[in-house]
Amino acid sequence: MDGTKLPFDINRCARPNILALQPYRCARDDYKDDGTNILLDANENAYGPALELDEGSRSVDGKTVPANVDLLGLNRYPDPHQKELKQLLCKLRNIHCHTSKNLTPENLFVGVGSDEAIDAILRCFCTPGKDKILTCPPTYGMYAVSAQVNDLEIVKVPLDAGANFQLRPQAINEALSADPSIKLVYVCSPGNPTANLISKSDLQQVLGHSTWNGVVVLDEAYIDFSPEGSSLAEWVTEWPNLVVMQTLSKAFGLAGIRLGAAFTSPPIARLLNNLKAPYNISSPTSALACAALQPRNLAVMGDHREKIVRQRERMMRELPKLPGVGSFLGGADSNFLLVEILDKPRDQGGKPSNDVAFAVYESLAETKGVVVRFRGKEIGCLGCLRITVGTEREVDKLLEQMRTVLAEVIIKQSGSNPFRE
């Protein structure tokens, strides 16, 4: 450039809602994976991918790659329709607990994680600057971020914190009746950060609203940590206004391949597939996802899940024994728990405290290398930490360091030692 002043001004050129956007703050924004930390903050699968790597694996720069990943075929574009992958996902979710009907590939959209499905559904049904979505906090933050990107207003009907964070179908239906510009209802089950399943009958009340013309989006990212038969994916064959989102990031331990799925009625699936980028799922992602859905790798996933459930039960037994730990809030249907941190031991009248919880969160990460997630600013979550269930060794360290840090923080903040006998 010759120094001529250009008329370009990003503040006048960019969309106002994007300029005002607060991006989603993910776990790695706070504490990095430096190879030494115990990461119990992002609800990842601590036992690794649900893949049985054997002598058929190949090595690329020292890392094993399953033999079904065709490295020599990476010069070709991937399958735009992903029929094989969709058929495997249907086979997984045709459990016939909620209907006798079968899911088919025509019921599916697959995307880059569940986040692509969240955004695609918004773009499909909502007019920017005009329509609205309804969320039920505390809930997953990407619903709000994607709504802001698409210039959509959010109507909030909080979960019932006094009833273990259950849905409030009557309040939701009243909001839908009062405002026809609400096109979508986003519900998380199991909830994040609440870890509890949403009642099927409560969801049915919203789906069956007598006048509302909109879609219910059920996010089942953590469903494989719930009791068998909990997934409502196959229910989309009964309800044309239902979308059920899932991912391979959690129970399958494949967060790195970014593969999400949306089960829904064929008309909605067609719309979502029509608006997606033509080659949104890469060949390696597709190959790894198909491998994970084979019987032997489903067995690996099941084994990892059983280990996680055992450690979850252990955490539920042992954490309340630590002075300064309060009650578990929500449920235990996921691979994480939501737990209160108190300002002093429970038997001395301790109350949930954001100051103590945040100090514990920081100290665990910065002095002990144990990273959890502070959730005290969420509705109904005063003084809460969300803790991912780790391996046996990781839970050992969590319990050991939590006891030490809790005592240090409470003594420092109270100016006295409530632990002295």
Side-chain angles (χ1 to χ4, degrees), residues 8 51 82 87 160 186 196 216 301 325 354 379 396 416:
F8 174 71
L51 295 171
Q82 299 295 330
Q87 188 61 61
D160 189 345
Y186 279 90
N196 62 318
V216 175
M301 186 272 280
V325 171
N354 270 358
I379 293 175
D396 286 343
S416 62

Side-chain angles (χ1 to χ4, degrees), residues 214-234:
V215 176
V216 175
V217 184
L218 183 66
D219 188 344
E220 289 190 341
Y222 300 97
I223 198 65
D224 290 304
F225 300 108
S226 303
E228 290 289 334
S230 295
S231 174
L232 296 178
E234 65 182 5

Side-chain angles (χ1 to χ4, degrees), residues 367-409:
T367 69
K368 307 299 182 183
V370 178
V371 187
V372 298
R373 204 85 188 263
F374 174 69
R375 278 291 175 257
K377 294 183 179 179
E378 304 273 355
I379 293 175
C381 300
L382 178 66
C384 282
L385 299 179
R386 192 195 70 190
I387 307 176
T388 305
V389 179
T391 64
E392 182 177 3
R393 181 186 65 83
E394 290 172 337
V395 174
D396 286 343
K397 185 168 182 181
L398 167 72
L399 295 170
E400 174 190 351
Q401 302 299 346
M402 190 91 154
R403 179 183 294 275
T404 301
V405 168
L406 267 168
E408 291 172 350
V409 168

Side-chain angles (χ1 to χ4, degrees), residues 86-300:
K86 290 177 179 178
Q87 188 61 61
L88 289 169
L89 288 166
C90 290
K91 183 179 179 181
L92 178 70
R93 298 308 181 194
N94 278 327
I95 57 177
H96 298 146
C97 290
H98 309 284
T99 180
S100 59
K101 298 177 182 177
N102 282 321
L103 293 161
T104 70
E106 285 67 40
N107 290 107
L108 265 170
F109 166 83
V110 290
V112 183
S114 295
D115 294 336
E116 183 178 359
I118 291 169
D119 182 70
I121 295 163
L122 290 172
R123 289 187 289 124
C124 185
F125 290 102
C126 298
T127 301
K130 175 184 174 184
D131 291 327
K132 303 173 185 176
I133 71 167
L134 187 148
T135 65
C136 302
T139 194
Y140 181 42
M142 273 305 295
Y143 310 144
V145 172
S146 293
Q148 188 172 354
V149 168
N150 287 281
D151 198 15
L152 303 170
E153 187 178 332
I154 303 171
V155 175
K156 298 179 181 180
V157 179
L159 298 172
D160 189 345
N164 208 35
F165 292 106
Q166 280 300 313
L167 209 62
R168 297 163 56 215
Q170 183 175 348
I172 292 172
N173 283 349
E174 288 173 358
L176 299 180
S177 295
D179 191 346
S181 67
I182 300 173
K183 293 292 187 67
L184 300 169
V185 174
Y186 279 90
V187 177
C188 200
S189 179
N192 178 11
T194 56
N196 62 318
L197 285 168
I198 294 299
S199 161
K200 180 181 175 183
S201 61
D202 286 348
L203 191 71
Q204 186 167 352
Q205 289 184 55
V206 181
L207 286 166
H209 192 291
S210 60
T211 61
W212 178 59
N213 182 24
V215 176
V216 175
V217 184
L218 183 66
D219 188 344
E220 289 190 341
Y222 300 97
I223 198 65
D224 290 304
F225 300 108
S226 303
E228 290 289 334
S230 295
S231 174
L232 296 178
E234 65 182 5
W235 220 24
V236 303
T237 61
E238 300 287 349
W239 294 94
N241 56 337
L242 175 63
V243 177
V244 177
M245 299 188 304
Q246 296 185 352
T247 178
L248 296 191
S249 296
K250 306 302 180 182
F252 285 87
L254 292 171
I257 73 171
R258 309 306 301 126
L259 193 285
F263 297 86
T264 188
S265 61
I268 292 179
R270 279 194 295 271
L271 293 178
L272 296 176
N273 285 306
N274 286 346
L275 65 80
K276 76 174 182 66
Y279 306 109
N280 63 328
I281 304 300
S282 73
S283 297
T285 289
S286 178
L288 289 166
C290 287
L293 294 166
Q294 299 302 320
R296 70 173 186 171
N297 289 322
L298 287 173
V300 174

